Amino acid sequence: MPTDLGIDDEFSSWNSGVKHFTDYYCLWDSVRNANSLISLFDPELEVDMLNCLLDVQDKIGWLPDAWIAGHSAMIQGGSSADILLCEAALKGFKGIDYTRALKAMRKNNEVESPDTWLYGRHLSEYRDKGYLSTNIKHNSVSRTMEYAYQDWCIGRLAEELSDMALASRFYESSKKVWNLWRDDIGFFAPKRPDGSWVEPFDPAYHTPESWNDPYFYEGNSWQWSFNVQHDFAGLVSRLGGQSNFEKRLDDVFDKGFYYSKETMLHIPFLYHYIGKPELSAQRAKACLTKYFRNERKGLSDNEDMGCQSAFFMGASMGLYPIMGQDLYLLSTPVFERSEISLGKSGKRLIIEAPGVTESSIVQSAKINGKALDRAWIRHAEIADGAVITLKLGEKQSNWGRDVPPSPMSKK
């Protein structure tokens, strides 16, 4: 967790009347799920942290992706703050100047960075070609994918602020993600500056120093190809439909491509997007058993600013967030009852699953006593407190067949 330095107290670089935090190392990790969890049980803290980022932007000129001891640090894939600010607006958080936030977010897309190690984007190729080519030494494909999702977040915040012309422009820009999709192999892949595909290309390969891979940051195309959070429906379609998508998900696990890593933590829950939340629950529980153990080396990967703990908590409660959106995916929990205090409001979210076992399948659900046929909910449905009750059984059910919203399929 970032360290709370108070308001003009322990941070000596400037006084601004804004609570300051340090040790954001880094948002690229925590954005995947930890910030969403904080937004649930301590929304006031999330607002304070986002206002700190905006305050830093005012002073240094750019939203930081990592902020340590008064200095920006390496950007791993664009500006994750764009995602968090969009998510906060969609969840209705007060106390943030979203007009100011939108201006800061747009800068990442519109202004050339003086130092892409620390600020902004590799902008010229992304803007002019619609993708980053092999001219970029490191992570050209994964950066393109992340920039595109951040563009969707900029567009969504613009829509929230009723600027539909701006929203439309950024929604269109977010479609650039598909410029690096290869239909012939069914994976994201690198292009040369002239638009030709890199050959040969193996979607299962990355360099031994994976953070220095020329195409994908800390992973390969098998893993990164599921990072299209604004258009999972488009991914299902491009893979040939629901049965093919299910097979691709199965292959990720069965062929050993999945491990407990930031950019993959959402993958067990993607069966929701073909209307099979019971398969999400099975995969998530298997991951809990395999990658989280009650022993000295109980985590299989770095904690990475809370993302591992957030996966454990979300999967155990059967409530998993999609970053940048106000959406949670519901699945079979581990516990018979989970109770979350919703910040300082005094209200609570309760998830009940009486009699849950390892093999339980949700038969039906209710929220505040009313039938809930879908395996997803919006933040507004639980923000003022709620009781989600799951009826369980051992047999296959038809609950949750309605797939979650996929934003770009409606834009």
Side-chain angles (χ1 to χ4, degrees):
M1 284 290 295
T3 303
D4 185 346
L5 300 182
I7 299 175
D8 300 330
D9 187 4
E10 297 180 67
F11 183 65
S12 59
S13 295
W14 63 73
N15 291 338
S16 61
V18 175
K19 182 177 286 191
H20 200 89
F21 298 82
T22 191
D23 303 330
Y24 285 103
Y25 198 70
C26 64
L27 296 177
W28 187 85
D29 298 309
S30 63
V31 70
R32 312 278 163 186
N33 53 25
N35 285 96
S36 298
L37 188 65
I38 293 169
S39 295
L40 193 60
F41 68 75
D42 199 344
E44 297 86 2
L45 173 61
E46 182 71 6
V47 168
D48 283 345
M49 290 197 293
L50 294 180
N51 278 326
C52 171
L53 295 174
L54 289 173
D55 185 47
V56 171
Q57 194 279 153
D58 287 347
K59 302 303 187 296
I60 70 170
W62 297 87
L63 282 167
D65 201 50
W67 180 252
I68 308 161
H71 297 278
S72 287
M74 184 186 81
I75 287 180
Q76 297 177 84
S79 174
S80 299
D82 296 354
I83 300 171
L84 296 179
L85 289 162
C86 173
E87 182 177 322
L90 295 182
K91 290 180 174 178
F93 291 171
K94 308 298 183 184
I96 296 172
D97 184 342
Y98 290 111
T99 300
R100 174 173 158 231
L102 180 61
K103 182 179 179 181
M105 293 158 66
R106 288 178 61 182
K107 185 174 183 178
N108 292 311
N109 176 278
E110 298 172 344
V111 178
E112 297 274 0
S113 170
D115 182 352
T116 54
W117 180 261
L118 298 176
Y119 313 111
R121 302 178 178 181
H122 297 270
L123 187 58
S124 59
E125 277 200 335
Y126 180 77
R127 178 190 61 220
D128 300 336
K129 295 181 183 295
Y131 65 94
L132 298 184
S133 77
T134 52
N135 278 338
I136 305 298
K137 273 188 171 183
H138 301 130
N139 326 133
S140 61
V141 182
S142 61
R143 284 183 187 273
T144 299
M145 297 176 72
E146 296 204 69
Y147 291 177
Y149 186 50
Q150 290 155 18
D151 280 350
W152 178 84
C153 290
I154 297 170
R156 187 64 186 87
L157 181 55
E159 181 178 347
E160 197 70 8
L161 296 175
S162 300
D163 190 337
M164 295 310 300
L166 186 65
S168 179
R169 176 158 71 86
F170 277 94
Y171 287 149
E172 188 63 30
S173 185
S174 76
K175 296 176 184 177
K176 291 175 182 176
V177 69
W178 297 115
N179 290 343
L180 293 182
W181 175 260
R182 278 188 61 170
D183 271 321
D184 59 329
I185 62 173
F187 287 96
F188 286 95
K191 277 184 179 178
R192 298 185 178 90
D194 65 3
S196 62
W197 295 111
V198 169
E199 292 288 4
F201 172 69
D202 179 2
Y205 177 78
H206 62 70
T207 57
E209 289 186 340
S210 61
W211 53 94
N212 287 327
D213 187 84
Y215 311 135
F216 297 92
Y217 186 73
E218 295 187 351
N220 59 39
S221 189
W222 267 93
Q223 298 151 350
W224 268 97
S225 289
F226 290 100
N227 279 271
V228 282
Q229 278 80 359
H230 57 313
D231 200 6
F232 286 132
L235 182 61
V236 172
S237 175
R238 284 169 174 82
L239 284 172
Q242 293 188 350
S243 61
N244 286 348
F245 187 76
E246 181 178 342
K247 185 179 185 307
R248 174 63 66 83
L249 282 172
D250 288 344
D251 284 346
V252 169
F253 295 97
D254 299 342
K255 294 182 177 181
F257 290 111
Y258 181 90
Y259 57 97
S260 196
K261 174 72 178 166
E262 306 100 308
T263 49
M264 289 179 259
L265 293 174
H266 66 292
I267 293 178
F269 296 93
L270 294 185
Y271 293 93
H272 276 65
Y273 287 86
I274 55 172
K276 295 188 176 182
E278 70 279 3
L279 298 183
S280 293
Q282 290 174 16
R283 293 295 187 185
K285 286 188 175 182
C287 289
L288 289 175
T289 300
K290 183 174 183 179
Y291 299 110
F292 299 85
R293 300 177 301 277
N294 186 20
E295 58 188 56
R296 186 177 179 83
K297 295 183 178 181
L299 283 181
S300 62
D301 199 77
N302 293 333
E303 172 61 12
D304 282 326
M305 204 169 153
C307 69
Q308 299 290 344
S309 294
F311 175 88
F312 184 90
M313 295 171 72
S316 297
M317 294 187 297
L319 185 77
Y320 201 79
I322 298 297
M323 67 174 185
Q325 301 176 35
D326 60 340
L327 186 68
Y328 302 87
L329 305 180
L330 297 172
S331 63
T332 310
V334 170
F335 306 116
E336 289 195 330
R337 179 183 171 92
S338 300
E339 188 168 335
I340 305 169
S341 295
L342 302 178
K344 298 176 181 177
S345 68
K347 298 173 181 177
R348 282 172 162 70
L349 170 63
I350 298 170
I351 302 171
E352 299 176 329
V356 67
T357 67
E358 185 68 26
S359 58
S360 290
I361 297 172
V362 178
Q363 307 295 304
S364 62
K366 292 182 178 180
I367 183 167
N368 298 328
K370 297 181 179 179
L372 181 67
D373 295 329
R374 47 190 161 82
W376 52 271
I377 54 173
R378 297 289 194 183
H379 183 80
E381 295 178 272
I382 59 177
D384 290 327
V387 178
I388 298 172
T389 305
L390 304 175
K391 182 181 178 182
L392 306 170
E394 301 295 318
K395 295 182 180 180
Q396 185 61 54
S397 76
N398 289 320
W399 178 77
R401 297 296 173 241
D402 182 17
V403 300
S406 186
M408 286 308 298
S409 65
K410 298 180 180 180
K411 301 296 179 187

